[in-house]
Amino acid sequence: MKILVVGSGGREHALVWKISQSPKVTKIYAAPGNAGMAALAELVDISAEDVEELKKFVLKNKIDLTVVGPEAPLSLGIVDEFEKAGLRVFGPSEKAAFLEGSKVFAKQLMIKYSIPTAQAKVFDDYNDAIEHLEEMEVKHGLIQKMVVKADGLAAGKGVVVCENIDDAEDAVDQMLRKEVFGEAGSQVLIEECLEGEEASILAFVDGKTIVPMVASQDHKRIFDGDKGPNTGGMGAYSPAPVVEEYGMAKIQKEILDPVLNALNKEDIKYKGVLYVGLMFTKDGPKVLEFNCRFGDPETQVVLPRLETDLIDIMEAIIDECLSQVKLEWSSKPAVCVVLASEGYPGSYRKGIPIHGINLAEALDGITVFHAGTKLAKEDVVTTGGRVLGVTALGDTINTAITKAYKAVKLISFDGMQYRNDIGQKALRRLK
Ligand code: AMP
Ligand code: GLY
C-alpha cells in the first residue's frame, strides 16, 4: 500500500514511524513532513492545508490511504473532498471535526446530552460578558478563578485560565473587542474553572463503536511544576495512573459511549480519532475539550505501546468494522520529553543546528520524534517552537523517565529548553 501522511509535527512523525512497521505498506509520503520523517518517507512539498493540491498528488500517485494529522485540514473538509473523489482517507468529516472547531458547539452538545463538563455561558457581546463576570464576582468573590475560551480554532492559544476577574475581563477584551483571534474569537465561553488532574483519552471511532487507546497525560505549561503559560504540550507519559485509578470501563460508560450516542443522535457520523481531554475532579472526570485528531505529544507515547497494525485499525474504521479488530498494547510505560526553542510558546528563532540526535537514538528503547526540524545541507536545524520529542519505553515509568532524560542530555541546540519533571505526577500517584 502507498500511504500519505498529512502534517509536519511530532504526532505525524510518530504516525509515519508506526505506519512504517506495517507489512502492508510499501511506500510512505509525508506532506510537508520534517527531517525526522525523511528517513522513513518521501517528503512532498505541499502545505497540510492545501486540500486541492494534496488531492491532485494523491490521484496522480495512486495513494491507497491518506492519514490526516492536524485539525486545520480536517476543519477545512479534506475528508469530505477526498471521499467525493472516491479516495480512502482517515479522519473525521468537516461536520464531525466541528467538535474541535467550535467550543460552543461542543459545550452545547455536552449540556444537551448530560455529558459531565464545566458549567459555561456563551457571549458574543462584550458588555454582556463583562456584566456576567461582575455578577460572578459578587456571587463568588474577587479571587474566583475562571476560564475564558475563544469559540474557534486559535492554534492552542484561545484558552485563558484566569486567576481573577481582571484577567478574565482582559481576556474577554482581547477576544470580543480587540479581535486578536479574528472570527475564532467572535464568540467566547466563560467557564467555571475545574480543579484536579488532567488526562488525555484518545479513542478510535468508526461511527458505531468507540474504543479507547491506553490513557496518557500531557504537560501543558511551559515550566516545571505546571508554571507559566500553556503550550501545545511539553511532554507526556502513558499509562496515566489517574485514569487507571478511576477505571477506563467507567469512563467508557460515563463519557465515551454517551458522546458517540450524542453524535449519532445529532446525525453526525464520527470516524477517526476522538481526543477527549478530561479533568479528574472530586466529582469524577469532566470533559475539558474534544479534539478531532491524535494529540501531540500524546501520540508519541501512545503509538509506541500499540502492538496491533495501525493500518488494519485505520482501514477497519473507514470500513466501519472497528469492533472486529482487537487492540493489543505493550504493558511497558512510555515517556516523551519535548525539547523546545528558546522563547516558546512566544516568538523564537529558527534555523539553529541540532546536535546529538544519533547518539540519543543509539540508546536502547529510545525514539526521537521530530516536530519542528528540517534538513539544511548536512545539518538538521530547528524550524518550530517544539523541536523534538524524545520518547523512551521502560519496564516501569521510573526507568522510562530515567532513560528519556539520559537521551535528552545527549542532544543540544542553542537555547534548547525542556521540562525536568515529565512523569513526576505519575510517580507521586504510584507511591
Ligand atoms: P482546551 O483547549 O479546552 O483543552 O484548554 C486547554 C487547557 O486549558 C486544558 O488542557 C486545561 O489545562 C485548561 N482548561 C480548559 N478548560 C478548563 C476548565 N474549565 N478548568 C480548568 N482548566 C481548564
Ligand atoms: N496535547 C494537546 C493537543 O494535542 O491538543
Short mmCIF file of all heavy atoms in Angstrom, two decimals, residues 311-352:
data_model
loop_
_atom_site.label_atom_id
_atom_site.label_comp_id
_atom_site.label_asym_id
_atom_site.label_seq_id
_atom_site.Cartn_x
_atom_site.Cartn_y
_atom_site.Cartn_z
N ILE A 311 -2.44 0.28 10.40
CA ILE A 311 -3.15 0.32 9.10
C ILE A 311 -4.43 -0.53 9.17
O ILE A 311 -5.48 -0.13 8.67
CB ILE A 311 -2.22 -0.15 7.96
CG1 ILE A 311 -1.09 0.87 7.76
CG2 ILE A 311 -2.99 -0.37 6.65
CD1 ILE A 311 -1.54 2.24 7.29
N ASP A 312 -4.34 -1.68 9.83
CA ASP A 312 -5.54 -2.53 9.99
C ASP A 312 -6.64 -1.76 10.74
O ASP A 312 -7.81 -1.84 10.40
CB ASP A 312 -5.21 -3.80 10.79
CG ASP A 312 -4.43 -4.80 9.95
OD1 ASP A 312 -4.37 -4.63 8.71
OD2 ASP A 312 -3.86 -5.75 10.53
N ILE A 313 -6.22 -1.03 11.76
CA ILE A 313 -7.21 -0.28 12.56
C ILE A 313 -7.83 0.83 11.70
O ILE A 313 -9.05 1.00 11.66
CB ILE A 313 -6.55 0.34 13.82
CG1 ILE A 313 -5.91 -0.75 14.68
CG2 ILE A 313 -7.57 1.14 14.62
CD1 ILE A 313 -5.04 -0.21 15.81
N MET A 314 -6.98 1.55 10.99
CA MET A 314 -7.49 2.67 10.18
C MET A 314 -8.42 2.18 9.08
O MET A 314 -9.47 2.78 8.81
CB MET A 314 -6.32 3.46 9.59
CG MET A 314 -5.59 4.24 10.67
SD MET A 314 -4.16 5.10 10.02
CE MET A 314 -3.86 6.26 11.37
N GLU A 315 -8.07 1.06 8.47
CA GLU A 315 -8.93 0.51 7.41
C GLU A 315 -10.27 0.06 7.99
O GLU A 315 -11.31 0.25 7.39
CB GLU A 315 -8.22 -0.65 6.73
CG GLU A 315 -6.96 -0.19 6.00
CD GLU A 315 -6.94 -0.65 4.57
OE1 GLU A 315 -7.46 0.10 3.72
OE2 GLU A 315 -6.44 -1.76 4.35
N ALA A 316 -10.20 -0.55 9.18
CA ALA A 316 -11.45 -1.02 9.81
C ALA A 316 -12.35 0.17 10.14
O ALA A 316 -13.58 0.07 10.04
CB ALA A 316 -11.13 -1.81 11.07
N ILE A 317 -11.75 1.28 10.51
CA ILE A 317 -12.55 2.47 10.83
C ILE A 317 -13.22 3.00 9.55
O ILE A 317 -14.42 3.29 9.54
CB ILE A 317 -11.68 3.54 11.52
CG1 ILE A 317 -11.37 3.06 12.95
CG2 ILE A 317 -12.38 4.90 11.53
CD1 ILE A 317 -10.37 3.90 13.69
N ILE A 318 -12.45 3.07 8.48
CA ILE A 318 -13.03 3.55 7.22
C ILE A 318 -14.17 2.62 6.78
O ILE A 318 -15.22 3.07 6.32
CB ILE A 318 -11.93 3.67 6.13
CG1 ILE A 318 -10.94 4.77 6.53
CG2 ILE A 318 -12.54 3.95 4.76
CD1 ILE A 318 -9.70 4.85 5.66
N ASP A 319 -13.98 1.32 6.99
CA ASP A 319 -14.99 0.34 6.56
C ASP A 319 -16.05 0.08 7.63
O ASP A 319 -16.89 -0.83 7.48
CB ASP A 319 -14.30 -0.98 6.16
CG ASP A 319 -13.39 -0.77 4.96
OD1 ASP A 319 -13.69 0.12 4.14
OD2 ASP A 319 -12.36 -1.47 4.86
N GLU A 320 -15.99 0.81 8.72
CA GLU A 320 -16.97 0.73 9.82
C GLU A 320 -17.09 -0.67 10.42
O GLU A 320 -18.19 -1.16 10.66
CB GLU A 320 -18.33 1.26 9.35
CG GLU A 320 -18.24 2.72 8.93
CD GLU A 320 -19.55 3.27 8.37
OE1 GLU A 320 -20.60 2.73 8.73
OE2 GLU A 320 -19.48 4.25 7.61
N CYS A 321 -15.94 -1.31 10.62
CA CYS A 321 -15.98 -2.62 11.29
C CYS A 321 -14.91 -2.69 12.39
O CYS A 321 -14.24 -3.71 12.57
CB CYS A 321 -15.82 -3.76 10.29
SG CYS A 321 -14.35 -3.64 9.28
N LEU A 322 -14.77 -1.58 13.11
CA LEU A 322 -13.76 -1.50 14.17
C LEU A 322 -13.96 -2.57 15.24
O LEU A 322 -12.99 -3.06 15.83
CB LEU A 322 -13.81 -0.09 14.80
CG LEU A 322 -12.90 0.19 15.97
CD1 LEU A 322 -11.42 0.06 15.57
CD2 LEU A 322 -13.15 1.61 16.52
N SER A 323 -15.22 -2.95 15.49
CA SER A 323 -15.50 -3.92 16.57
C SER A 323 -14.82 -5.26 16.28
O SER A 323 -14.63 -6.07 17.19
CB SER A 323 -17.00 -4.10 16.77
OG SER A 323 -17.55 -4.62 15.59
N GLN A 324 -14.45 -5.49 15.03
CA GLN A 324 -13.81 -6.77 14.70
C GLN A 324 -12.30 -6.78 14.94
O GLN A 324 -11.65 -7.80 14.79
CB GLN A 324 -14.08 -7.12 13.23
CG GLN A 324 -15.53 -7.49 12.99
CD GLN A 324 -15.87 -7.54 11.51
OE1 GLN A 324 -15.00 -7.71 10.67
NE2 GLN A 324 -17.14 -7.37 11.21
N VAL A 325 -11.74 -5.61 15.27
CA VAL A 325 -10.29 -5.53 15.47
C VAL A 325 -9.99 -5.58 16.97
O VAL A 325 -10.63 -4.87 17.75
CB VAL A 325 -9.71 -4.22 14.88
CG1 VAL A 325 -8.21 -4.14 15.10
CG2 VAL A 325 -10.04 -4.11 13.42
N LYS A 326 -9.03 -6.42 17.33
CA LYS A 326 -8.65 -6.46 18.75
C LYS A 326 -7.38 -5.63 18.93
O LYS A 326 -6.37 -5.88 18.27
CB LYS A 326 -8.41 -7.92 19.15
CG LYS A 326 -8.21 -8.07 20.64
CD LYS A 326 -8.22 -9.53 21.06
CE LYS A 326 -7.82 -9.76 22.51
NZ LYS A 326 -7.33 -8.67 23.29
N LEU A 327 -7.45 -4.64 19.82
CA LEU A 327 -6.27 -3.81 20.04
C LEU A 327 -5.36 -4.47 21.08
O LEU A 327 -5.82 -4.86 22.14
CB LEU A 327 -6.67 -2.43 20.56
CG LEU A 327 -7.51 -1.55 19.66
CD1 LEU A 327 -7.58 -0.13 20.23
CD2 LEU A 327 -6.98 -1.49 18.26
N GLU A 328 -4.08 -4.57 20.75
CA GLU A 328 -3.10 -5.13 21.70
C GLU A 328 -2.13 -4.03 22.08
O GLU A 328 -1.64 -3.29 21.21
CB GLU A 328 -2.31 -6.27 21.06
CG GLU A 328 -3.15 -7.31 20.37
CD GLU A 328 -3.33 -8.56 21.21
OE1 GLU A 328 -2.98 -8.52 22.40
OE2 GLU A 328 -3.81 -9.55 20.64
N TRP A 329 -1.82 -3.97 23.37
CA TRP A 329 -0.94 -2.92 23.88
C TRP A 329 0.23 -3.51 24.66
O TRP A 329 0.05 -4.49 25.38
CB TRP A 329 -1.71 -1.97 24.81
CG TRP A 329 -2.81 -1.25 24.10
CD1 TRP A 329 -4.13 -1.60 24.07
CD2 TRP A 329 -2.69 -0.08 23.29
NE1 TRP A 329 -4.84 -0.71 23.30
CE2 TRP A 329 -3.99 0.23 22.81
CE3 TRP A 329 -1.61 0.74 22.92
CZ2 TRP A 329 -4.23 1.33 21.98
CZ3 TRP A 329 -1.85 1.82 22.10
CH2 TRP A 329 -3.14 2.11 21.64
N SER A 330 1.37 -2.90 24.56
CA SER A 330 2.51 -3.28 25.39
C SER A 330 2.24 -2.80 26.82
O SER A 330 1.66 -1.74 27.03
CB SER A 330 3.77 -2.60 24.86
OG SER A 330 4.76 -2.60 25.85
N SER A 331 2.69 -3.60 27.79
CA SER A 331 2.49 -3.17 29.18
C SER A 331 3.57 -2.16 29.59
O SER A 331 3.50 -1.57 30.67
CB SER A 331 2.54 -4.39 30.11
OG SER A 331 3.79 -5.03 29.94
N LYS A 332 4.56 -1.96 28.72
CA LYS A 332 5.66 -1.06 29.09
C LYS A 332 5.23 0.41 29.05
O LYS A 332 4.70 0.87 28.04
CB LYS A 332 6.82 -1.23 28.10
CG LYS A 332 7.60 -2.50 28.31
CD LYS A 332 8.87 -2.47 27.50
CE LYS A 332 9.73 -3.65 27.88
NZ LYS A 332 10.98 -3.69 27.15
N PRO A 333 5.49 1.16 30.12
CA PRO A 333 5.19 2.58 30.08
C PRO A 333 6.10 3.34 29.10
O PRO A 333 7.22 2.91 28.84
CB PRO A 333 5.46 3.05 31.51
CG PRO A 333 5.44 1.83 32.34
CD PRO A 333 5.94 0.72 31.46
N ALA A 334 5.58 4.46 28.60
CA ALA A 334 6.36 5.33 27.70
C ALA A 334 6.35 6.75 28.24
O ALA A 334 5.36 7.21 28.83
CB ALA A 334 5.77 5.29 26.31
N VAL A 335 7.47 7.43 28.03
CA VAL A 335 7.61 8.83 28.46
C VAL A 335 8.19 9.62 27.30
O VAL A 335 9.11 9.14 26.63
CB VAL A 335 8.56 8.94 29.68
CG1 VAL A 335 8.90 10.40 29.99
CG2 VAL A 335 7.94 8.29 30.90
N CYS A 336 7.64 10.80 27.04
CA CYS A 336 8.18 11.67 25.98
C CYS A 336 8.51 13.05 26.55
O CYS A 336 7.65 13.69 27.16
CB CYS A 336 7.15 11.82 24.85
SG CYS A 336 7.65 12.99 23.56
N VAL A 337 9.75 13.47 26.37
CA VAL A 337 10.17 14.81 26.81
C VAL A 337 10.34 15.68 25.56
O VAL A 337 11.08 15.32 24.65
CB VAL A 337 11.51 14.74 27.58
CG1 VAL A 337 11.95 16.15 28.01
CG2 VAL A 337 11.39 13.81 28.78
N VAL A 338 9.62 16.80 25.54
CA VAL A 338 9.69 17.71 24.38
C VAL A 338 10.84 18.69 24.57
O VAL A 338 11.00 19.28 25.65
CB VAL A 338 8.35 18.45 24.20
CG1 VAL A 338 8.48 19.58 23.17
CG2 VAL A 338 7.25 17.48 23.77
N LEU A 339 11.65 18.85 23.52
CA LEU A 339 12.72 19.85 23.52
C LEU A 339 12.24 21.03 22.67
O LEU A 339 11.88 20.84 21.50
CB LEU A 339 14.00 19.25 22.93
CG LEU A 339 14.44 17.90 23.54
CD1 LEU A 339 15.74 17.43 22.91
CD2 LEU A 339 14.59 18.01 25.04
N ALA A 340 12.22 22.21 23.27
CA ALA A 340 11.62 23.36 22.60
C ALA A 340 12.64 24.48 22.40
O ALA A 340 13.69 24.52 23.05
CB ALA A 340 10.43 23.87 23.42
N SER A 341 12.29 25.39 21.49
CA SER A 341 13.15 26.54 21.20
C SER A 341 13.05 27.58 22.31
O SER A 341 11.99 27.74 22.93
CB SER A 341 12.69 27.23 19.91
OG SER A 341 12.79 26.35 18.83
N GLU A 342 14.12 28.32 22.51
CA GLU A 342 14.12 29.42 23.47
C GLU A 342 13.04 30.42 23.06
O GLU A 342 12.94 30.77 21.89
CB GLU A 342 15.50 30.10 23.42
CG GLU A 342 15.68 31.19 24.43
CD GLU A 342 17.11 31.73 24.40
OE1 GLU A 342 17.84 31.47 23.43
OE2 GLU A 342 17.47 32.42 25.36
N GLY A 343 12.23 30.85 24.03
CA GLY A 343 11.18 31.83 23.73
C GLY A 343 9.81 31.19 23.57
O GLY A 343 8.79 31.84 23.78
N TYR A 344 9.76 29.91 23.16
CA TYR A 344 8.48 29.21 23.01
C TYR A 344 7.75 29.19 24.36
O TYR A 344 8.40 29.01 25.37
CB TYR A 344 8.74 27.77 22.53
CG TYR A 344 7.50 26.93 22.41
CD1 TYR A 344 6.62 27.10 21.35
CD2 TYR A 344 7.18 25.97 23.38
CE1 TYR A 344 5.47 26.34 21.25
CE2 TYR A 344 6.02 25.20 23.28
CZ TYR A 344 5.18 25.40 22.22
OH TYR A 344 4.04 24.64 22.12
N PRO A 345 6.44 29.39 24.48
CA PRO A 345 5.43 29.49 23.41
C PRO A 345 5.31 30.87 22.78
O PRO A 345 4.40 31.07 21.96
CB PRO A 345 4.13 29.11 24.13
CG PRO A 345 4.34 29.58 25.53
CD PRO A 345 5.81 29.42 25.81
N GLY A 346 6.19 31.79 23.12
CA GLY A 346 6.20 33.09 22.42
C GLY A 346 7.04 32.95 21.15
O GLY A 346 7.18 31.86 20.62
N SER A 347 7.62 34.06 20.70
CA SER A 347 8.37 34.00 19.45
C SER A 347 9.75 33.38 19.68
O SER A 347 10.28 33.42 20.80
CB SER A 347 8.50 35.39 18.85
OG SER A 347 9.12 36.23 19.79
N TYR A 348 10.31 32.79 18.65
CA TYR A 348 11.58 32.06 18.78
C TYR A 348 12.34 32.14 17.46
O TYR A 348 11.75 32.43 16.42
CB TYR A 348 11.32 30.59 19.14
CG TYR A 348 10.27 29.95 18.27
CD1 TYR A 348 10.60 29.45 17.01
CD2 TYR A 348 8.93 29.91 18.66
CE1 TYR A 348 9.64 28.91 16.18
CE2 TYR A 348 7.96 29.37 17.83
CZ TYR A 348 8.32 28.88 16.59
OH TYR A 348 7.37 28.36 15.76
N ARG A 349 13.65 31.90 17.55
CA ARG A 349 14.49 31.87 16.33
C ARG A 349 14.38 30.52 15.65
O ARG A 349 14.07 29.52 16.29
CB ARG A 349 15.95 32.11 16.72
CG ARG A 349 16.29 33.56 17.01
CD ARG A 349 17.79 33.74 17.11
NE ARG A 349 18.37 32.95 18.17
CZ ARG A 349 19.54 32.30 18.07
NH1 ARG A 349 20.24 32.34 16.94
NH2 ARG A 349 20.02 31.61 19.09
N LYS A 350 14.67 30.50 14.36
CA LYS A 350 14.66 29.24 13.61
C LYS A 350 16.02 29.02 12.95
O LYS A 350 16.83 29.94 12.88
CB LYS A 350 13.61 29.29 12.49
CG LYS A 350 12.19 29.37 12.97
CD LYS A 350 11.25 29.40 11.78
CE LYS A 350 9.81 29.59 12.25
NZ LYS A 350 8.89 29.73 11.13
N GLY A 351 16.24 27.83 12.44
CA GLY A 351 17.45 27.55 11.66
C GLY A 351 18.67 27.23 12.51
O GLY A 351 19.80 27.26 12.03
N ILE A 352 18.45 26.88 13.78
CA ILE A 352 19.58 26.58 14.68
C ILE A 352 19.97 25.10 14.55
O ILE A 352 19.10 24.22 14.64
CB ILE A 352 19.17 26.89 16.14
CG1 ILE A 352 18.77 28.37 16.24
CG2 ILE A 352 20.30 26.55 17.12
CD1 ILE A 352 18.09 28.74 17.52
#
